[in-house]
mmCIF file of all heavy atoms in Angstrom:
data_model
loop_
_atom_site.group_PDB
_atom_site.id
_atom_site.type_symbol
_atom_site.label_atom_id
_atom_site.label_comp_id
_atom_site.label_asym_id
_atom_site.label_seq_id
_atom_site.Cartn_x
_atom_site.Cartn_y
_atom_site.Cartn_z
ATOM 1 N N PRO C 69 175.792 156.299 192.404
ATOM 2 C CA PRO C 69 175.679 156.626 193.803
ATOM 3 C C PRO C 69 177.031 156.604 194.510
ATOM 4 O O PRO C 69 177.801 155.658 194.339
ATOM 5 C CB PRO C 69 174.751 155.553 194.348
ATOM 6 C CG PRO C 69 173.916 155.165 193.183
ATOM 7 C CD PRO C 69 174.860 155.232 192.017
ATOM 8 N N GLY C 70 177.333 157.647 195.275
ATOM 9 C CA GLY C 70 178.583 157.718 195.990
ATOM 10 C C GLY C 70 179.786 158.141 195.170
ATOM 11 O O GLY C 70 180.887 158.193 195.689
ATOM 12 N N LYS C 71 179.578 158.446 193.897
ATOM 13 C CA LYS C 71 180.675 158.825 193.043
ATOM 14 C C LYS C 71 180.409 160.206 192.437
ATOM 15 O O LYS C 71 179.276 160.662 192.361
ATOM 16 C CB LYS C 71 180.889 157.810 191.925
ATOM 17 C CG LYS C 71 181.329 156.437 192.396
ATOM 18 C CD LYS C 71 181.634 155.531 191.221
ATOM 19 C CE LYS C 71 182.144 154.177 191.684
ATOM 20 N NZ LYS C 71 182.458 153.290 190.533
ATOM 21 N N GLU C 72 181.485 160.821 192.003
ATOM 22 C CA GLU C 72 181.370 162.126 191.351
ATOM 23 C C GLU C 72 180.914 161.972 189.913
ATOM 24 O O GLU C 72 181.011 160.901 189.320
ATOM 25 C CB GLU C 72 182.699 162.866 191.385
ATOM 26 C CG GLU C 72 183.183 163.237 192.789
ATOM 27 C CD GLU C 72 184.450 164.060 192.776
ATOM 28 O OE1 GLU C 72 185.118 164.105 191.724
ATOM 29 O OE2 GLU C 72 184.778 164.639 193.811
ATOM 30 N N ARG C 73 180.408 163.044 189.377
ATOM 31 C CA ARG C 73 180.008 163.060 187.976
ATOM 32 C C ARG C 73 181.207 162.755 187.101
ATOM 33 O O ARG C 73 182.287 163.342 187.263
ATOM 34 C CB ARG C 73 179.400 164.412 187.638
ATOM 35 C CG ARG C 73 178.882 164.535 186.227
ATOM 36 C CD ARG C 73 177.990 165.758 186.064
ATOM 37 N NE ARG C 73 178.240 166.782 187.058
ATOM 38 C CZ ARG C 73 177.572 167.919 187.156
ATOM 39 N NH1 ARG C 73 176.565 168.182 186.304
ATOM 40 N NH2 ARG C 73 177.848 168.796 188.090
ATOM 41 N N GLU C 74 181.035 161.862 186.154
ATOM 42 C CA GLU C 74 182.125 161.375 185.341
ATOM 43 C C GLU C 74 181.884 161.645 183.871
ATOM 44 O O GLU C 74 180.801 161.382 183.345
ATOM 45 C CB GLU C 74 182.306 159.860 185.562
ATOM 46 C CG GLU C 74 183.362 159.206 184.689
ATOM 47 C CD GLU C 74 183.354 157.703 184.813
ATOM 48 O OE1 GLU C 74 182.361 157.149 185.324
ATOM 49 O OE2 GLU C 74 184.355 157.067 184.397
ATOM 50 N N PHE C 75 182.884 162.169 183.213
ATOM 51 C CA PHE C 75 182.822 162.368 181.777
ATOM 52 C C PHE C 75 182.768 161.042 181.052
ATOM 53 O O PHE C 75 183.487 160.104 181.392
ATOM 54 C CB PHE C 75 184.029 163.172 181.315
ATOM 55 C CG PHE C 75 184.188 163.221 179.818
ATOM 56 C CD1 PHE C 75 183.422 164.097 179.057
ATOM 57 C CD2 PHE C 75 185.087 162.389 179.164
ATOM 58 C CE1 PHE C 75 183.559 164.145 177.677
ATOM 59 C CE2 PHE C 75 185.239 162.438 177.805
ATOM 60 C CZ PHE C 75 184.471 163.296 177.054
ATOM 61 N N VAL C 76 181.932 160.973 180.035
ATOM 62 C CA VAL C 76 181.799 159.760 179.233
ATOM 63 C C VAL C 76 182.258 159.987 177.801
ATOM 64 O O VAL C 76 183.133 159.298 177.300
ATOM 65 C CB VAL C 76 180.353 159.233 179.248
ATOM 66 C CG1 VAL C 76 180.220 158.023 178.328
ATOM 67 C CG2 VAL C 76 179.923 158.889 180.662
ATOM 68 N N ALA C 77 181.644 160.963 177.137
ATOM 69 C CA ALA C 77 181.961 161.199 175.733
ATOM 70 C C ALA C 77 181.513 162.588 175.343
ATOM 71 O O ALA C 77 180.634 163.190 175.967
ATOM 72 C CB ALA C 77 181.265 160.156 174.842
ATOM 73 N N ALA C 78 182.122 163.119 174.288
ATOM 74 C CA ALA C 78 181.758 164.428 173.769
ATOM 75 C C ALA C 78 181.938 164.435 172.261
ATOM 76 O O ALA C 78 182.717 163.657 171.707
ATOM 77 C CB ALA C 78 182.601 165.526 174.399
ATOM 78 N N ILE C 79 181.215 165.331 171.613
ATOM 79 C CA ILE C 79 181.263 165.423 170.162
ATOM 80 C C ILE C 79 181.232 166.875 169.744
ATOM 81 O O ILE C 79 180.499 167.690 170.314
ATOM 82 C CB ILE C 79 180.107 164.603 169.532
ATOM 83 C CG1 ILE C 79 180.273 164.533 168.009
ATOM 84 C CG2 ILE C 79 178.754 165.196 169.913
ATOM 85 C CD1 ILE C 79 179.367 163.496 167.370
ATOM 86 N N GLU C 80 182.006 167.192 168.710
ATOM 87 C CA GLU C 80 182.088 168.548 168.197
ATOM 88 C C GLU C 80 180.791 168.958 167.501
ATOM 89 O O GLU C 80 179.943 168.112 167.215
ATOM 90 C CB GLU C 80 183.286 168.653 167.245
ATOM 91 C CG GLU C 80 183.632 170.057 166.751
ATOM 92 C CD GLU C 80 183.859 171.016 167.885
ATOM 93 O OE1 GLU C 80 185.008 171.120 168.388
ATOM 94 O OE2 GLU C 80 182.879 171.680 168.283
#
Side-chain angles (χ1 to χ4, degrees):
K71 295 185 177 180
E72 295 185 346
R73 183 165 23 182
E74 176 188 16
F75 169 79
V76 176
I79 188 167
E80 188 55 88

